[in-house]
Amino acid sequence: MRFWIRCTRFDSGKPYYVNFSLVGGMWRDGDKTILEFVGSGAQTIEVRETPEDILAIHLGTSGVSAS
């Protein structure tokens, strides 16, 4: 199963579609989220969404409140 997520490039604000099955790592660097891809043409991109935003958009919220 493959998930396509729509992210916003940090530098340009343009949309960027990511095949989530190819993302090998995801971490924060200040206010940026870094997605690291796997495979022979591996690269990294910076997006504005947090990892929680990305997962919530495509998998729904966990239903756990932050209170």
Side-chain angles (χ1 to χ4, degrees):
M1 181 179 290
R2 294 177 184 233
F3 296 96
W4 289 92
I5 59 175
R6 182 175 186 238
C7 298
T8 307
R9 281 202 176 268
F10 191 82
D11 55 349
S12 66
K14 294 183 179 180
Y16 188 86
Y17 293 87
V18 177
N19 181 334
F20 202 77
S21 64
L22 297 178
V23 175
M26 181 169 34
W27 64 92
R28 295 289 287 166
D29 179 14
D31 59 348
K32 298 179 268 189
T33 299
I34 311 299
L35 297 173
E36 182 178 52
F37 296 90
V38 297
S40 60
Q43 63 174 345
T44 61
I45 64 166
E46 299 173 354
V47 296
R48 290 189 174 136
E49 293 81 2
T50 67
E52 294 81 10
D53 293 338
I54 293 168
L55 293 174
I57 290 167
H58 298 281
L59 302 176
T61 59
S62 66
V64 177
S65 68
S67 53

